[in-house]
């Protein structure tokens, strides 16, 4: 490196060096001056003296400060930043500041020199641009990446194929972010430099393979071809054209070929399939013994031409087979085909063929390998199995457990309605799909492992798994799976049964828990029995009170009825007009007596557990409407309004509809009997993930506080709120019905402000309230 004491139009300033550096050791163009500027003050001095050459500085904060200074001073000078393995993001940020800014490894002497030479004599940009635009307009639709590059590594232009290949945009190119050296992994840079050097020295270079970085950091395999080394006096001086072909798929095919060879050996041992291999380069043919056995051909027959193999293909299948083979040889990576063959002895067999071809980077066929399998018996068995499946489908739908049949690819052949409901679709939607198409997670993985084990061992297996629904509900399923065999003992499918054993699991857990707590429960039970004995004595006292009250209630209407009968007898002699009135009184008293006797009978039926629930799904809003219709006339006569506050779109609930209707009518009827004219009663409902809450409320006089705790008791005392409830068994029956649903009922009341009855019912699958 030489020094100069003059300020040259073409030259270099080393910013940040106190003296001229020895690294890198550069060979500069003729007439170039070299200057050292230890800081920005020295740089400003050189610029004030008219220097307009090239500035080299260390990459880092100093380089970004220099960019800021030149931008503020509105100076367009080329800047080279020298670094050591700088981060790619920082380099891109620096180079995006100005197209004239470049980054170089400090050891990249050749790249720095090429860039400096390019600054000495810039080409005629306008002429070059027009020719370049024409060239890339013609090549932009090419499937090969085309790049116009400077020797220093700058990419001057590129077609869209190349940009898409590396994931860059045209704006990235215009911003100067594309440079061969930054795009090239370190292990390939020497290879690229060698190619450019050979191009400069000899004018041509053979094509070669290398890798490039994509914008996202991944790599692409590429085949590179370079033409160029144009005369210095031309518009393309110090530039070249580079052609880039993406060969990632070819490389991937080569890797897959090695894997398929290993897989071929395993398939021969496990599946007993015939295999074959054709080496197009050596024109050699290889086949296994099973291959010749399936065709009935003499051993070691070379099927290295299409015509030789066509002799064994059934005449009706030859056109299909030939067309499929042509597709494979034309570039299709693999084929699968079922067709018939004719053995030399005249026997017709059905076979399945799978074949895979591999090509070199130029698309030339390297080799073709494949397998052939005799599926004559299995195809016949498969047809019989399908017929049997159709015959059994009706039977399967009457089985309460999940039932299904699968083929050897784990796809459902048939299933019953129970399985389809579990998967959330119809039986038709289940066919041809796997369990993984509907269910994921550990349950699907466990079931798949079980299927594979059944196929591998040919034995019946059973397993218990826990399945969690999307809404969080959990159930336990017992799966029992057995292999299906053909006439030769080969496994051709799987039959399975799935049974819901959640209740059994709960019983087992409860039994285990009961065993651990048994001793404690014995002690607790003893104490409970002592307390129960005391309770029995108290209940006997309540019972005596109840019978006394009931006797009084029965006696009163009977006495009234006696008097009315006597009056009827007397009036029949003198005043026939009063007969209707007296008859009405008799009917009403009889109805009261019948109601009390019926409630008394029901009370004992509930107490002895003779009532059975018939649960079903129904709309609560509709049920409340029916109750209001039933009581509408009575409410209208008493001047009381009834309201249904349940939303019309309220989510369906599951309960015994008739019994719940009985409860609501009882509660609403009590309200009508006990609230004054001008008041109102209403039914409201809300729900949570675990329960449904139903409220029957009125704005009457309420219930006396001293009677509220005993309002649902079987033998409880009566207050004014219940003066028209007969024996008071109606609310006791309501409580019994709600508790049969594993729910609860309660009442709250404020004197003179009405009363509210709250019913809580659990949702199916939730913990009992």
């Amino acid at each position: 490196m030489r020094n100069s004491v003059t300020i040259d139009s073409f030259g270099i300033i080393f910013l940040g060096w106190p003296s001229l550096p020895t690294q890198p050791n550069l060979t500069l163009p003729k007439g170039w001056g070299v200057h050292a500027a230890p800081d920005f003050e020295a740089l400003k001095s050189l610029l004030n003296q008219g220097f307009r050459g090239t500035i080299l500085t260390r990459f880092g904060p100093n380089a970004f400060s220099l960019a800021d200074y030149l931008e503020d001073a509105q100076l367009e000078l080329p800047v080279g930043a020298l670094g050591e393995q700088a981060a790619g993001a920082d380099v891109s940020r620096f180079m995006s500041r100005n197209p004239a800014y470049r980054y170089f490894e400090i050891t990249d002497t050749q790249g720095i020199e090429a860039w400096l030479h390019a600054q000495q004599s810039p080409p005629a940009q306008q002429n070059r641009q027009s020719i370049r635009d024409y060239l890339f307009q013609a090549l932009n639709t090419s499937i090969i990446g085309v790049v116009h590059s400077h020797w220093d590594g700058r990419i001057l232009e590129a077609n869209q194929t190349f940009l898409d290949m590396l994931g860059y945009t045209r704006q990235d190119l215009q911003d100067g972010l594309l440079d061969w050296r930054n795009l090239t992994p370190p292990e390939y840079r020497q290879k690229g430099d060698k190619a450019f050097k050979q191009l400069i020295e000899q004018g041509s270079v053979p094509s070669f393979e290398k890798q490039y970085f994509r914008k996202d950091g991944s790599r692409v395999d590429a085949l590179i071809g370079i033409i160029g080394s144009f005369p210095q006096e031309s518009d393309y001086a110090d530039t070249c054209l580079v052609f880039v072909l993406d060969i990632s798929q070819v490389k991937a095919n080569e890797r897959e070929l090695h894997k398929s060879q290993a897989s071929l050996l395993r398939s021969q041992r496990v599946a007993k399939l015939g295999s074959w291999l054709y080496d197009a380069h050596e024109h050699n043919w290889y086949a296994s013994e099973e291959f010749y056995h399936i065709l009935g051909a003499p051993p070691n027959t070379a099927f290295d031409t299409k015509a030789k193999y066509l002799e064994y293909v059934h005449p009706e299948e030859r056109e299909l087979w030939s067309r499929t083979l042509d597709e494979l040889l034309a570039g299709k990576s693999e084929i699968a085909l079922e067709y018939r063959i004719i053995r030399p002895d005249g026997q017709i067999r059905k076979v399945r063929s799978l074949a895979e071809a591999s090509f070199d980077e130029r698309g030339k066929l390297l080799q073709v390998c494949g397998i052939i399998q005799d599926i004559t018996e299995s195809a016949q068995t498969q047809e019989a199995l399908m017929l049997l499946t159709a015959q059994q489908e009706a039977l399967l739908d009457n089985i309460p457990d999940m039932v299904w049949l699968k083929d050897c690819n784990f796809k459902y052949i048939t299933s019953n309605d129970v399985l389809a409901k579990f998967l959330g679709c119809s039986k038709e939607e289940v066919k041809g799909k796997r369990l993984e198409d509907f269910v994921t997670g550990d349950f699907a993985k466990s079931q798949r492992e079980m299927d594979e084990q059944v196929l591998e061992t040919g034995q019946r297996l059973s397993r218990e798994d826990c399945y969690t629904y999307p809404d969080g509900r959990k159930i336990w399923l017992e799966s029992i799976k057995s292999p299906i065999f053909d006439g030769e003992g080969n496994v051709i499918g799987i039959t399975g049964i799935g049974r819901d054993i959640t209740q059994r699991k709960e019983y087992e857990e409860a039994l285990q828990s009961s065993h651990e707590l048994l001793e404690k429960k014995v002690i607790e039970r003893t104490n409970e029995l002592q307390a129960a004995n005391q309770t029995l004595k108290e209940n006997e006292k309540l019972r005596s009170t109840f019978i006394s009250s009931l006797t009084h209630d029965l006696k009163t209407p009977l006495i009234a009825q006696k008097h009315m009968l006597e009056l009827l007898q007397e009036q029949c002699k003198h005043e026939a007009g009063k007969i209707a009135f007296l008859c009405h009184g008799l009917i009403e008293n009889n109805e009261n007596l019948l109601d009390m006797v019926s409630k008394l009978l029901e009370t004992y039926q509930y107490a002895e557990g003779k009532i059975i629930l018939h649960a079903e799904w129904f709309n609560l809003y509709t049920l409340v409407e029916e109750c209001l219709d039933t009581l509408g006339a009575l409410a209208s006569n008493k001047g009381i309004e009834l309201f249904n506050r349940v939303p019309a779109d309220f989510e369906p609930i599951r309960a015994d509809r008739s019994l719940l209707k009985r409860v609501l009518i009882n509660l609403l009827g009590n309200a009508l009997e006990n609230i004054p004219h001008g008041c109102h009663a209403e039914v409201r409902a809300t729900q949570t993930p675990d329960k449904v809450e139903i409220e029957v409320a009125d704005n009457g006089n309420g219930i006396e506080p001293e009677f509220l705790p005993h309002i649902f008791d079987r033998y409880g005392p009566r207050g004014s709120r219940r003066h028209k409830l007969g024996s008071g068994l109606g609310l006791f029956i309501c409580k019994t019905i709600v508790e049969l649903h594993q729910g609860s009922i309660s009442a709250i009341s404020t004197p003179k402000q009405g009363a509210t009855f709250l019913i809580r019912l659990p949702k199916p699958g939730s913990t009992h309230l």
Side-chain angles (χ1 to χ4, degrees):
M1 183 180 297
R2 62 186 180 79
N3 196 0
S4 174
V5 295
T6 62
I7 304 302
D8 304 295
S9 296
F10 293 106
I12 304 174
I13 294 179
F14 283 91
L15 175 61
W17 278 274
S19 60
L20 296 180
T22 58
Q23 178 76 12
N25 187 15
L26 303 175
T27 300
L28 302 177
K30 276 188 177 182
W32 276 45
V34 182
H35 312 276
D39 51 34
F40 275 98
E41 291 301 323
L43 174 65
K44 293 177 183 178
S45 176
L46 290 170
L47 295 177
N48 290 336
Q49 297 179 56
F51 179 84
R52 293 297 182 270
T54 303
I55 302 175
L56 294 181
T57 186
R58 290 186 177 90
F59 184 73
N62 206 46
F64 286 98
S65 297
L66 174 60
D68 292 338
Y69 171 75
L70 294 177
E71 184 177 341
D72 292 340
Q74 297 183 351
L75 293 175
E76 293 286 342
L77 295 180
V79 176
L82 310 183
E84 296 182 7
Q85 298 182 346
D90 293 336
V91 172
S92 297
R93 186 162 58 92
F94 172 74
M95 293 176 62
S96 64
R97 295 288 299 269
N98 193 303
Y101 295 172
R102 309 293 294 165
Y103 169 82
F104 300 96
E105 293 289 327
I106 196 168
T107 57
D108 187 9
T109 303
Q110 182 178 353
I112 298 172
E113 287 182 353
W115 179 66
L116 292 173
H117 278 269
Q119 309 308 314
Q120 181 181 21
S121 179
Q125 294 296 332
Q126 183 176 358
N127 188 40
R128 174 186 292 180
Q129 187 66 37
S130 62
I131 298 175
R132 185 190 310 154
D133 290 345
Y134 175 79
L135 176 64
F136 278 88
Q137 183 179 0
L139 296 176
N140 208 40
T141 59
S142 174
I143 62 173
I144 299 176
V146 182
V147 178
H148 184 203
S149 174
H150 197 278
W151 291 352
D152 63 3
R154 286 177 297 155
I155 295 179
L156 305 176
E157 184 57 275
N159 69 348
Q160 193 61 41
T161 302
F162 176 78
L163 295 176
D164 293 341
M165 188 187 306
L166 299 188
Y168 284 92
T169 65
R170 190 152 298 279
Q171 186 62 46
D172 294 334
L173 175 65
Q174 295 172 358
D175 291 342
L177 301 184
L178 276 67
D179 182 278
W180 285 120
R181 299 180 185 281
N182 296 333
L183 296 174
T184 302
E187 64 269 27
Y188 287 95
R189 288 177 183 170
Q190 184 176 1
K191 194 173 188 179
D193 291 342
K194 182 178 179 181
F196 271 105
K197 184 177 181 181
Q198 182 177 351
L199 177 67
I200 295 171
E201 294 177 353
Q202 302 178 12
S204 64
V205 59
S207 59
F208 59 95
E209 295 180 7
K210 63 182 295 186
Q211 289 184 341
Y212 287 109
F213 285 125
R214 292 188 177 96
K215 189 175 182 179
D216 61 6
S218 60
R219 297 189 178 198
V220 58
D221 292 296
L223 178 66
I224 308 299
I226 306 177
I227 62 173
S229 187
F230 300 102
Q232 288 294 321
E233 62 274 8
S234 72
D235 290 334
Y236 295 101
D238 303 332
T239 67
C240 60
L241 283 180
V242 182
F243 296 89
V244 183
L245 177 64
D246 185 348
I247 59 171
S248 299
Q249 187 60 48
V250 175
K251 292 295 183 181
N253 288 343
E254 291 178 355
R255 291 188 291 268
E256 287 298 322
L257 177 61
H258 294 300
K259 291 170 61 178
S260 65
Q261 290 173 340
S263 177
L264 178 62
L265 296 177
R266 290 195 299 269
S267 66
Q268 289 180 339
R269 292 194 301 267
V270 177
K272 298 179 180 180
L273 303 176
S275 63
W276 54 272
L277 174 68
Y278 174 66
D279 187 333
H281 179 69
E282 300 292 337
H283 299 290
N284 290 329
W285 168 267
Y286 309 93
S288 66
E289 293 182 4
E290 185 65 18
F291 175 86
Y292 293 107
H293 175 74
I294 292 173
L295 293 179
N300 300 322
T301 301
F303 292 95
D304 53 351
T305 65
K306 182 192 299 186
K308 291 181 180 179
Y309 191 82
L310 275 176
E311 296 176 3
Y312 289 82
V313 179
H314 193 282
E316 296 178 1
E317 313 276 9
R318 287 175 182 174
E319 181 180 353
L320 173 63
W321 185 90
S322 179
R323 183 173 65 252
T324 305
L325 179 62
D326 290 341
E327 291 176 357
L328 179 68
L329 299 179
K332 189 174 183 179
S333 59
E334 60 182 29
I335 60 169
L337 185 65
E338 293 184 4
Y339 55 96
R340 291 170 294 170
I341 61 171
I342 301 180
R343 289 177 173 175
D345 60 4
Q347 186 178 9
I348 299 176
R349 309 290 292 178
K350 188 172 184 179
V351 298
R352 177 189 294 117
S353 288
L354 302 175
E356 187 175 272
S358 60
F359 304 86
D360 62 14
E361 63 275 8
R362 299 181 180 179
K364 184 179 180 181
L365 180 67
L366 294 176
Q367 64 179 20
V368 183
C369 60
I371 60 173
I372 183 173
Q373 180 184 18
D374 188 337
I375 60 171
T376 306
E377 286 76 17
S378 63
Q380 294 171 351
T381 305
Q382 187 73 13
E383 294 176 0
L385 176 62
M386 296 300 293
L387 177 61
L388 178 63
T389 300
Q391 295 172 343
Q392 294 177 338
E393 200 168 73
L395 175 63
L396 296 180
D397 287 337
N398 291 319
I399 299 177
D401 298 324
M402 305 177 196
V403 183
W404 66 87
L405 296 176
K406 291 183 180 180
D407 61 21
C408 291
N409 294 318
F410 313 117
K411 294 182 178 180
Y412 289 106
I413 299 174
T414 187
S415 65
N416 66 351
D417 287 329
V418 181
L419 176 64
K421 184 178 180 180
F422 171 74
L423 298 178
C425 60
S426 66
K427 291 193 299 182
E428 291 302 320
E429 292 173 319
V430 174
K431 290 182 180 180
K433 294 184 180 178
R434 299 181 175 89
L435 178 64
E436 295 89 331
D437 295 326
F438 305 95
V439 177
T440 59
D442 294 339
F443 180 80
K445 181 180 179 182
S446 175
Q447 292 294 309
R448 179 59 176 268
E449 291 174 352
M450 188 178 180
D451 288 343
E452 293 173 348
Q453 193 172 357
V454 170
L455 290 182
E456 182 178 350
T457 64
Q459 297 179 354
R460 178 179 180 271
L461 297 177
S462 64
R463 179 177 299 176
E464 296 178 358
D465 288 304
C466 181
Y467 174 71
T468 303
Y469 284 97
D471 61 5
R473 290 184 298 119
K474 293 185 178 181
I475 63 171
W476 279 91
L477 292 175
E478 179 184 23
S479 301
I480 304 172
K481 301 182 180 181
S482 303
I484 303 173
F485 299 96
D486 62 11
E488 297 181 356
N490 299 313
V491 179
I492 60 172
I494 303 171
T495 179
I497 299 175
R499 180 172 299 135
D500 188 339
I501 59 170
T502 306
Q503 191 173 27
R504 191 191 81 189
K505 282 287 187 179
E506 292 174 352
Y507 289 157
E508 291 175 354
E509 294 175 0
L511 181 62
Q512 179 66 25
S513 177
S514 298
H515 178 74
E516 296 173 353
L517 298 176
L518 180 60
E519 185 175 352
K520 180 180 178 181
K521 288 295 184 181
V522 170
I523 298 173
E524 292 177 352
R525 185 58 178 164
T526 301
N527 296 332
E528 290 174 358
L529 289 174
Q530 294 174 351
N533 186 41
Q534 181 64 30
T535 302
L536 286 174
K537 294 179 180 179
E538 295 174 355
N539 284 344
E540 182 62 26
K541 184 178 180 181
L542 290 173
R543 179 175 173 274
S544 177
T545 302
F546 169 75
I547 292 175
S548 176
S549 175
L550 180 61
T551 302
H552 178 272
D553 287 338
L554 290 173
K555 183 178 180 180
T556 298
L558 287 174
I559 292 173
Q561 183 170 315
K562 177 182 178 183
H563 290 318
M564 284 187 283
L565 287 172
E566 291 173 348
L567 287 173
L568 179 61
Q569 183 178 15
E570 184 68 24
Q571 292 298 323
C572 285
K573 299 177 181 179
H574 306 289
E575 297 182 32
K578 294 184 179 180
I579 294 176
F581 172 78
L582 295 174
C583 289
H584 175 75
L586 286 173
I587 293 172
E588 184 176 0
N589 279 328
N590 281 335
E591 287 178 350
N592 289 338
L593 287 172
L594 180 60
D595 180 63
M596 285 187 286
V597 173
S598 297
K599 288 182 178 178
L600 182 60
L601 178 60
E602 278 189 285
T603 301
Y604 283 99
Q605 287 179 330
Y606 282 113
E608 295 177 8
K610 295 182 178 180
I611 302 300
I612 300 175
L613 293 179
H614 298 282
E616 60 179 310
W617 291 98
F618 60 89
N619 185 282
L620 180 59
Y621 172 83
T622 303
L623 180 64
V624 173
E625 284 292 306
E626 293 176 7
C627 296
L628 299 189
D629 289 343
T630 301
L631 300 172
L634 178 60
S636 179
N637 292 336
K638 298 195 67 176
I640 296 174
E641 292 187 286
L642 299 179
F643 298 101
N644 183 357
R645 306 296 189 188
V646 180
D649 59 350
F650 196 78
E651 182 178 333
I653 66 173
R654 182 173 174 82
D656 189 311
R657 193 178 190 277
S658 62
L659 291 181
L660 185 58
K661 182 177 180 179
R662 173 79 177 277
V663 172
L664 294 177
I665 288 180
N666 198 321
L667 295 177
L668 289 168
N670 286 350
L672 293 177
E673 291 290 340
N674 291 280
I675 63 177
H677 179 277
C679 294
H680 71 268
E682 63 184 27
V683 181
R684 304 186 292 263
T686 59
Q687 60 182 327
T688 68
D690 299 321
K691 62 180 180 295
V692 176
E693 294 186 348
I694 305 171
E695 294 182 355
V696 179
D698 63 65
N699 63 344
N701 294 326
I703 305 171
E704 293 89 333
E706 62 269 22
F707 295 111
L708 192 60
H710 308 288
I711 197 170
F712 296 105
D713 293 352
R714 183 177 183 182
Y715 305 122
R718 296 182 298 159
S720 63
R721 170 73 182 189
R722 297 173 59 186
H723 74 284
K724 294 185 180 179
L725 299 183
S727 64
L729 293 176
L731 289 178
F732 172 76
I733 293 174
C734 289
K735 178 174 180 288
T736 305
I737 291 174
V738 173
E739 289 179 347
L740 280 174
H741 285 81
Q742 307 298 327
S744 65
I745 183 170
S746 59
I748 57 175
S749 177
T750 302
K752 306 302 180 181
Q753 296 184 16
T756 299
F757 289 82
L758 175 60
I759 301 170
R760 293 186 177 91
L761 298 177
K763 286 188 175 180
S766 64
T767 304
H768 294 159
L769 300 175

